[in-house]
Amino acid sequence: MSSSKKTKVIYDTDPGVDDAMALYFALAHPDIDLVGITTTFGNVSVEQAATNALYLAAIAGCDAPVTKGVAVPWCKPAEKPPAHIHGADGLGNLGPRQPIGRQLDPRASAQFIVDMARAHPGEIVLVAVGPLGNLSLALMLEPRLPLLLREVIVMGGTIVEPGNVSPVAEANIWNDPHAADRVFTAGWKLTMVGLDVTHRVVTTLEHFQRIADKHRHVATDTLLKAVEFYARFYSGLYSHVAKTPGCFAHDLLAFIYLVQPGLFTTTVKSVRVATEGLAQGQTIMNERDFIDYPQPGWEKTRHRTQVCMQVDAPGCLAVFEETMLADWLPA
Ligand code: BDR
Ligand code: CA
């Protein structure tokens, strides 16, 4: 596909091992033109997230700008990052890293999103796979953002599948529920890729070994090492994952949705986020949106979100492997 036909994407991320998988998928896919990487706190501090994004991009030969964004949730106190899942460094405790000759873009992530959306109105898809503070702040800086971005795809939330940080909450939404509710009610073309689908797709260590063997490159070796750490967590938690050691590739699914939406079954309803109490971080879908409920917040006129409810898992894994095994890395 020629560069003019590629989709311009800003990747908002908290790398994070599955964030790293998703980044490399985006770089490998011929239809994606990655025009910026904006980072946030989440799996690690925002400083570490920015360091990781810059490192992962540099070793894969990507020169897209990388920015640092919000460091804490909008309203609630910050929590300690989940070092037992992603490693203390967010990349499975990599150890010494290669020197890279690159610097961060000096703009804050939210400002970068606004600048790019104004410069390319109607062209950019924003794929957000961390807590949603950058996007929420960008909306405050530029209220016309929903008109300026082509589409927003969020990895986060869950409707039917149990949560992963509480019985009802998924980590990205739970990490900043106020920001998330702002994003779900902003009125853009929004797709939610949540645990209902990400828990159906297991990538295995064998996949990442095959990818590393094919490329013999520092980028895919780094990814394999990070995934080995991350897969230990998931294989220890779920017996079906342990059978062929691997992991859920949450953030990757947001990009697979972007390039192959036909692999997903979706429903279009309004979604709100519980911001307080025991259900904090729950994404609640209004199944009966034909009813005019008397409670404020559920008006029939509310903006709708497209929610991914089912997925063709073998189809996703085939797209993943085919994309990652192609020649996408510099020699
Ligand atoms: C999400 O939380 C993070 O730990 C992952 O990177 C992913 O974005 C899954 O709940
Ligand atoms: Ca993430």
Side-chain angles (χ1 to χ4, degrees):
M1 189 175 273
S2 75
S3 66
S4 61
K5 290 272 171 57
K6 291 182 170 203
T7 303
K8 287 187 176 55
V9 172
I10 295 177
Y11 181 40
D12 190 52
T13 176
D14 58 335
V17 180
D18 58 321
D19 305 70
M21 296 175 201
L23 172 64
Y24 283 171
F25 178 85
L27 294 179
H29 201 282
D31 299 349
I32 295 176
D33 175 15
L34 192 67
V35 296
I37 305 171
T38 55
T39 61
T40 167
F41 81 95
N43 292 323
V44 284
S45 70
V46 71
E47 282 76 21
Q48 187 69 51
T51 301
N52 290 351
L54 201 59
Y55 184 72
L56 291 164
I59 61 174
C62 160
D63 56 9
V66 179
T67 63
K68 192 165 76 173
V70 299
V72 290
W74 188 4
C75 299
K76 72 182 215 178
E79 307 253 342
K80 259 179 78 172
H84 60 298
I85 305 176
H86 295 269
D89 67 350
L91 295 178
N93 299 329
L94 273 188
R97 299 182 179 200
Q98 292 199 353
I100 55 161
R102 283 203 53 194
Q103 303 283 323
L104 291 176
D105 183 290
R107 287 170 285 184
S109 293
Q111 188 62 54
F112 177 83
I113 291 168
V114 168
D115 290 351
M116 290 295 282
R118 285 177 179 155
H120 306 278
E123 284 184 48
I124 294 177
V125 175
L126 197 136
V127 177
V129 302
L132 293 167
N134 288 335
L135 212 39
S136 167
L137 186 55
L139 275 167
M140 290 181 223
L141 296 175
E142 174 50 281
R144 292 179 311 128
L145 200 58
L147 300 173
L148 296 173
L149 289 176
R150 178 165 133 193
E151 183 176 357
V152 174
I153 301 172
V154 166
M155 189 282 126
T158 191
I159 303 297
V160 176
E161 175 74 2
N164 59 2
V165 290
S166 87
V168 294
E170 181 281 329
N172 287 339
I173 305 302
W174 182 85
N175 264 325
D176 198 341
H178 298 85
D181 193 51
R182 180 82 186 84
V183 167
F184 277 100
T185 52
W188 30 34
K189 183 177 178 205
L190 175 65
T191 299
M192 172 179 141
V193 181
L195 302 183
D196 299 292
V197 290
T198 69
H199 275 184
R200 304 279 91 78
V201 183
V202 180
T203 47
T204 65
L205 284 178
E206 286 170 10
H207 287 124
F208 293 93
Q209 186 69 61
R210 273 202 292 279
I211 292 162
D213 289 347
K214 157 81 204 282
H215 293 290
R216 299 190 177 281
H217 191 283
V218 58
T220 44
D221 287 349
T222 299
L223 184 61
L224 173 63
K225 186 149 188 280
V227 172
E228 279 168 354
F229 182 96
Y230 182 68
R232 255 175 257 146
F233 170 77
Y234 281 106
S235 300
L237 202 57
Y238 296 99
S239 56
H240 73 286
V241 178
K243 275 189 196 145
T244 323
C247 52
F248 301 132
H250 305 283
D251 297 345
L252 171 68
L253 271 267
F255 279 109
I256 296 188
Y257 171 78
L258 172 68
V259 295
Q260 294 268 323
L263 293 171
F264 296 78
T265 306
T266 61
T267 185
V268 180
K269 304 278 178 196
S270 61
V271 173
R272 298 293 309 263
V273 178
T275 52
E276 312 289 339
L278 209 53
Q280 188 182 72
Q282 180 175 13
T283 38
I284 306 164
M285 186 168 82
N286 183 5
E287 291 273 1
R288 303 219 163 124
D289 55 3
F290 51 88
I291 294 177
D292 225 350
Y293 285 115
Q295 300 305 325
W298 295 108
E299 297 77 10
K300 282 204 294 193
T301 50
R302 288 256 150 202
H303 295 296
R304 306 298 201 255
T305 297
Q306 173 167 252
V307 182
C308 294
M309 297 301 298
Q310 285 170 358
V311 62
D312 172 351
C316 288
L317 292 174
V319 171
F320 170 60
E321 267 213 89
E322 189 192 338
T323 304
M324 298 299 286
L325 291 173
D327 289 327
W328 59 277
L329 281 161

